Amino acid sequence: MNTDLESLLYDSSRVVMDQNAGLACKNPAMIRDLLDLTYKQKVKYSPRASRVLFFVANTDSRLLDAYINEIIRFLPAIRNSSIKMNLTNLLYRVDLQKHQQHLGLLVDQCFKWLNSPSETAATKVYSMEILYKIVQFIPELKEELVSTIEDQVIKGSAGIKVRGVEVLNRL
């Protein structure tokens, strides 16, 4: 279905994303195709597919429950910053406590992205939020998260600083 899917993702407008997210919510088998297209990391279509997945998660994250561990395993292979942003935003919206099989990999990847000087602010912010959620049920990570965020507040962009202080206040 990827060829057909590419024709549905003819542009990256919000209207097109909403239409396709609506289709995927009504036809959950489409989620598999969106994931497969995302994993191919095609310059134009994979970021769009991952954005549709984010909108699906925003509408009904339970539709993605069967794929969360698979998505987590894919994270280290992502080269495209838009795909990183969309999938971290997606993961931020799901109940991670239900998906602990690959949580160590998720924690590791989020800390890597958070500490990377070349990572986008959006990916860092969503990584921070994912780690904050995980600390709620794995409190042993709190000290490392606090230390990492404090470092980012010193070095980071204005957006990173603001969100970092917000997360620190919640911790």
Side-chain angles (χ1 to χ4, degrees):
M1 180 177 174
N2 283 348
T3 307
D4 294 337
L5 189 55
E6 288 178 11
S7 67
L8 291 174
L9 299 170
Y10 57 90
D11 74 35
S12 59
S13 70
R14 175 66 190 255
V15 171
V16 170
M17 297 299 113
D18 284 339
Q19 287 171 342
N20 284 294
L23 283 172
C25 288
K26 290 176 186 164
N27 179 17
M30 185 177 170
I31 292 170
R32 172 82 268 150
D33 295 322
L34 288 163
L35 283 166
D36 290 343
L37 184 54
T38 297
Y39 298 158
K40 287 181 180 178
Q41 299 194 65
K42 287 184 165 188
V43 174
K44 190 159 68 168
Y45 296 105
S46 295
R48 292 175 187 174
S50 67
R51 189 165 179 227
V52 171
L53 289 166
F54 155 69
F55 281 110
V56 169
N58 207 24
T59 303
D60 186 356
S61 64
R62 294 169 300 165
L63 292 171
L64 295 164
D65 278 349
Y67 306 103
I68 297 303
N69 287 316
E70 175 184 320
I71 292 168
I72 292 170
R73 287 191 315 270
F74 173 68
L75 295 178
I78 302 173
R79 297 179 309 273
N80 182 290
S81 61
S82 294
I83 296 171
K84 281 181 203 174
M85 178 188 66
N86 290 324
L87 293 184
T88 52
N89 197 351
L90 177 159
L91 289 168
Y92 166 63
R93 297 179 188 289
V94 300
D95 181 0
L96 293 171
Q97 199 161 2
K98 293 185 340 188
H99 305 285
Q100 293 195 30
Q101 184 179 359
H102 297 288
L103 214 49
L105 177 60
L106 178 59
V107 167
D108 184 53
Q109 193 61 55
C110 285
F111 273 117
K112 281 180 184 174
W113 285 337
L114 194 50
N115 286 308
S116 171
S118 62
E119 203 51 66
T120 65
T123 299
K124 286 184 177 217
V125 164
Y126 294 127
S127 293
M128 238 187 268
E129 292 291 354
I130 289 168
L131 290 166
Y132 171 78
K133 284 179 74 173
I134 293 170
V135 163
Q136 303 313 300
F137 57 92
I138 304 178
E140 299 82 12
L141 295 171
K142 183 177 178 179
E143 283 184 42
E144 184 178 1
L145 181 57
V146 167
S147 171
T148 302
I149 293 174
E150 287 173 344
D151 185 54
Q152 289 300 310
V153 167
I154 293 167
K155 298 181 201 173
S157 67
I160 298 285
K161 290 176 184 182
V162 169
R163 184 61 65 95
V165 169
E166 288 175 10
V167 173
L168 287 172
N169 287 336
R170 283 186 266 148
L171 286 166

